[in-house]
Amino acid sequence: PPPAPSATAPMSSRSDLAAILAQSQDADGSWGNDPLRTAAALLALVRLGNTRIAGLRKRAVQKAAAWLANHAALPAVAAVLAALAAVEGGAPCGDAPAFAPLRQAGREGAMLATIRAD
């Protein structure tokens, strides 16, 4: 993947990364029909300031969250969906132990690993 900006990088670089993620999303809302890749991409989008109600990538977040709802039995997926709801409620995204496997989830996981939690 292209080099991802840190949490202190200029906003345009962060927006570029969000655009790359959104453009690589499949039509069904997933990334490669893979729950962990999709959860990693969703968490990255959330950490970049996008939710179902805010940000330039609202539609990508909405589609990913809807697709992941069918995979919420996986702990990492459930943790990402909970983090999304928390951020939408005004809480910081933070980091959770359940997110650890997502950093190994393909290209999306590699991007996520470069984005600091709040």
Side-chain angles (χ1 to χ4, degrees), residues 12-109:
S12 63
S13 296
R14 293 172 61 81
S15 296
D16 292 346
L17 183 55
I20 290 167
L21 283 166
Q23 291 166 0
S24 63
Q25 185 179 35
D26 295 340
D28 66 0
S30 74
W31 274 262
N33 201 33
D34 182 316
L36 294 181
R37 284 181 57 201
T38 303
L42 177 56
L43 184 58
L45 286 168
V46 170
R47 286 184 176 173
L48 292 168
N50 299 278
T51 67
R52 292 174 285 203
I53 56 177
L56 293 175
R57 305 296 166 193
K58 288 186 280 201
R59 183 70 179 132
V61 171
Q62 291 167 350
K63 289 173 64 176
W67 189 87
L68 283 172
N70 295 320
H71 303 278
L74 296 171
V77 171
V80 170
L81 292 173
L84 172 61
V87 169
E88 290 173 339
C93 185
D95 203 3
F99 297 158
L102 300 179
R103 292 181 188 93
Q104 307 302 316
R107 179 178 182 211
E108 297 75 19

